[in-house]
Amino acid sequence: MRPVVDNEMLEAAVRALQNEKLVLGESVFKFEEEFARFCGTRFAISTGSGTTALQIALQSLGIGYGDEVLTTPFSFFATSNAVIHAEATPTFADVEDGEFNLDPGKVEPRMTPRTRAIIPVHLYGTPAKMAPLEEIAEERGIPLIEDACQAHGAEYQEKRVGSIGEAGCFSFYTSKNMTVCGDGGMITTNNEELAEAARSFRDCGRSTKYTMARIGYTSRLNTVNAAIGRVQLKRLPEWNRKRQAIANLYRKELEGLEGIILPPATRSGETSVYHLFVIRSPLRDRLMGRLEANGVEAGIHYPTPIHLQGPYRNKFGYKEGDFPVSEKLAQEVLSLPLYTELIEEEALDVVRIVRDTAHMEAKGS
Ligand SMILES: Cc1ncc(COP(=O)(O)O)c(C=O)c1O
């Protein structure tokens, strides 16, 4: 991953540094307005990270001690950590067979009377199946909070992610499709009360300068980072198109290879922004070794599902076999190189190595 830092971003950063309040300066509010417009929501509230965006969204909805929040065990562990930071208890339903996202069919049996929210994750930039999840949430009268930390600009039924649930949460960490060149996050919502609470939570719990409405945090996006984020946001649509073009190339060139399963194709009305292009293969470790031997860095997102991470085993007693689809994915997923500046020739090199390895394995050599 190589974040793009161009002259316009550098100039915006310096301008903000010289002319604005360093905390909650004008660029922060402009970035929020522009991000809300991009997602199609009334409000966007920036935060110090994607993790705190999730935590603050939960707490702004009054979710906390004694509540359960259901999510997927196949995500970056910050998703469920945020639930714990909000003093609630994360619970999990497995992902769908053949997909990477939460299986709506497995959600209902995992819910209890204490379940107060569901967090679907749009993993790798591909939207989760929101419609059936919305139905479940509506029936229960609980909110959906989208973890869109990997999905800036992805669409579901022609709506941008982050505008579908009660709130959407984004991360601007440096590896994401767009960054603020440091840590940062954003909550998107149409809910005015939630927006107001989130603004207060991220700013020490303030209602006015020296009056507190709640016990809040120092989790604001710095002005300089927001100034860079505004320029990054302008570039995002073009960067997403580039990612989609590389993903299409991988799809076309790797189609039908024995031992390689391509990521599920997007359905009509859906757009993936391919934060990652993730194949599955029982040959995963051999493939990764061959790529590395040829100077190509590939990744595993993620080698351990959240429930099998040490702190989760210890705290909640999870064990192997609890969420078998996620556990199998953790053994088989491989993220091929994908970033905006990757050129076609480099992607074709990756294809060649993957093909050669698959053919060698098929021949048993
Ligand atoms: C799916 C997911 N959720 C949450 C986060 C947390 O975001 P951050 O690292 O900005 O706290 C990330 C990214 O790092 C993520 O990929």
Side-chain angles (χ1 to χ4, degrees), residues 29-255:
F29 301 104
K30 287 204 168 141
F31 183 38
E32 290 177 342
E33 260 175 48
E34 288 157 5
F35 201 84
R37 200 173 316 130
F38 176 77
C39 290
T41 55
R42 286 178 67 201
F43 309 103
I45 304 92
S46 57
T47 58
S49 70
T51 309
T52 51
L54 284 160
Q55 177 193 346
I56 288 174
L58 288 164
Q59 292 189 294
S60 299
L61 287 163
I63 293 164
Y65 185 74
D67 297 331
E68 290 176 1
V69 176
L70 188 141
T71 188
T72 158
F74 197 65
S75 179
F76 180 55
F77 40 65
T79 305
S80 53
N81 287 353
V83 176
I84 299 173
H85 296 322
E87 291 185 75
T89 303
T91 60
F92 299 110
D94 211 349
V95 300
E96 194 168 344
D97 229 339
E99 305 265 336
F100 298 121
N101 285 327
L102 200 53
D103 184 343
K106 293 179 190 145
V107 165
E108 197 94 64
R110 307 285 310 176
M111 291 177 73
T112 77
R114 295 200 300 158
T115 308
R116 289 281 318 278
I118 302 172
I119 306 183
V121 179
H122 307 303
L123 200 69
Y124 310 147
T126 299
K129 282 192 184 154
M130 295 300 287
L133 292 171
E134 274 180 307
E135 244 173 64
I136 297 168
E138 231 166 74
E139 204 170 288
R140 290 274 187 139
I142 61 171
L144 287 182
I145 299 172
E146 298 172 67
D147 181 337
C149 286
Q150 301 187 0
H152 316 64
E155 288 173 355
Y156 178 84
Q157 294 182 350
E158 274 137 38
K159 279 165 101 179
R160 286 249 160 92
V161 300
S163 70
I164 303 159
E166 193 65 25
C169 297
F170 293 83
S171 163
F172 300 119
Y173 179 68
T174 49
S175 65
K176 305 303 185 200
N177 288 30
M178 65 164 287
T179 179
V180 293
C181 292
D183 279 312
M186 192 76 85
I187 301 168
T188 50
T189 186
N190 290 316
N191 178 335
E192 192 163 7
E193 256 177 64
L194 191 164
E196 198 185 317
R199 270 186 217 111
S200 165
F201 265 120
R202 67 141 181 223
D203 187 24
C204 309
R206 283 194 166 101
S207 51
T208 66
K209 191 168 184 195
Y210 291 118
T211 319
M212 257 172 73
R214 49 186 58 75
I215 312 285
Y217 312 99
T218 300
S219 184
R220 298 165 297 226
L221 182 65
N222 289 319
T223 303
V224 171
N225 294 108
I228 296 171
R230 292 183 66 200
V231 186
Q232 290 256 337
L233 180 60
K234 279 202 294 188
R235 305 272 191 278
L236 179 66
E238 185 200 330
W239 290 341
N240 281 346
R241 280 194 294 277
K242 282 192 180 163
R243 285 176 179 273
Q244 286 156 349
I246 298 164
N248 287 339
L249 179 147
Y250 279 146
R251 257 185 207 292
K252 193 168 127 244
E253 300 290 333
L254 297 175
E255 173 104 63

